[in-house]
Amino acid sequence: HLRTDNVENTNNDQLGYTNSPVRLHTDLCYAEKVPGFQFLHCIRPADVGGGNYFVHAESAANYLKTEVSRRAYDLLTTVPVRFDRKQSKFQALHTSPILRLSDNVDPVTGDKRLEQVRYSYFTQAAQTNVPFSQLREWYEAQQVWDKLLYRDDFQIKADLQSGDVVIYDNLKVLHARNGFLGPRHMAGVYLEAEDLWNHLGQAKQQSVETI
């Protein structure tokens, strides 16, 4: 539960428990295995502000590759980054490119498809995996990517009200929220992708059998 009057989670030294804005990111970048989906349930919206917004990273990455800078795309898909999460009672670390490609090839372009985006400004450590001579170029590539994510035509905005639920793919969708005033209470649940699809398949099969 993400709430400003948190009384449940004692390991809460993070932005989610404040009323500050949270920039676009994916969750748990520092974990080796990242849950595929997140359910975000609005229990109580803020009095002012607190709207959520989302970006489909695969669409943004494809645009970066074809329309903006192929070099930036290549750097972000090949150079690993260290993600390090250290809290008062927890620490985890994982290294991966921001844009991780799969072995599946797009039959139209011949390029590998995006499998996962790991992007989190509050857990990304300093870049130490490129020679000093290429460091500026890598950070410039990241700046190009970040600027692209904040274009209005790549964002979907949602002002969630009490009872609203949004489900998004944590491997390919970045999420963020605006700052707010007043109490705000959101509940989030992670779910493995295979578990979700298996459950939906079973529900569909049961529906067919009932008919």
Side-chain angles (χ1 to χ4, degrees):
H1 290 259
L2 294 175
R3 51 192 301 178
T4 48
D5 61 339
N6 169 66
V7 294
E8 299 172 343
N9 189 343
T10 58
N11 193 33
N12 61 356
D13 48 342
Q14 56 177 297
L15 278 174
Y17 293 96
T18 73
N19 62 352
S20 299
V22 180
R23 289 172 55 84
L24 286 164
H25 65 284
T26 55
D27 284 355
L28 304 178
C29 294
Y30 47 82
E32 182 175 355
K33 185 172 178 56
V34 177
F37 285 91
Q38 182 170 13
F39 289 60
L40 189 62
H41 177 205
C42 177
I43 298 173
R44 187 198 190 286
D47 295 336
V48 179
N52 295 90
Y53 52 103
F54 307 86
V55 171
H56 187 245
E58 188 167 25
S59 298
N62 286 337
Y63 189 86
L64 173 68
K65 175 178 63 176
T66 60
E67 304 296 332
V68 181
S69 172
R70 178 65 192 236
R71 176 58 177 166
Y73 176 85
D74 289 341
L75 286 169
L76 297 179
T77 56
T78 57
V79 179
V81 178
R82 190 176 83 249
F83 295 94
D84 188 355
R85 182 58 162 164
K86 184 176 182 179
Q87 295 177 277
S88 58
K89 301 178 182 179
F90 172 84
Q91 184 173 15
L93 184 148
H94 185 77
T95 301
S96 170
I98 288 176
L99 303 174
R100 182 164 64 85
L101 302 179
S102 71
D103 293 328
N104 297 324
V105 175
D106 188 312
V108 177
T109 65
D111 292 333
K112 292 183 177 180
R113 296 180 184 274
L114 179 69
E115 183 168 71
Q116 180 182 1
V117 57
R118 290 180 188 256
Y119 199 53
S120 172
Y121 65 101
F122 43 82
T123 60
Q124 180 180 319
Q127 176 57 274
T128 59
N129 293 303
V130 293
F132 183 78
S133 59
Q134 299 177 19
L135 196 59
R136 183 184 182 91
E137 184 183 26
W138 187 90
Y139 274 110
E140 288 177 344
Q142 183 181 356
Q143 289 177 342
V144 170
W145 164 251
D146 192 78
K147 185 177 180 179
L148 185 63
L149 297 178
Y150 284 88
R151 282 180 33 168
D152 285 341
D153 51 342
F154 279 110
Q155 294 186 3
I156 297 176
K157 296 179 172 61
D159 289 319
L160 302 179
Q161 301 302 310
S162 296
D164 289 346
V165 177
V166 62
I167 306 170
Y168 54 90
D169 184 347
N170 186 51
L171 302 185
K172 293 186 178 180
V173 175
L174 301 110
H175 63 283
R177 71 139 195 254
N178 297 316
F180 61 89
L181 298 175
R184 182 178 186 267
H185 187 181
M186 309 289 285
V189 175
Y190 296 116
L191 191 64
E192 297 290 352
E194 55 268 29
D195 293 337
L196 176 62
W197 298 129
N198 288 339
H199 179 76
L200 291 176
Q202 292 172 5
K204 181 178 180 180
Q205 181 61 34
Q206 292 173 359
S207 176
V208 171
E209 292 174 353
T210 300
I211 294 174

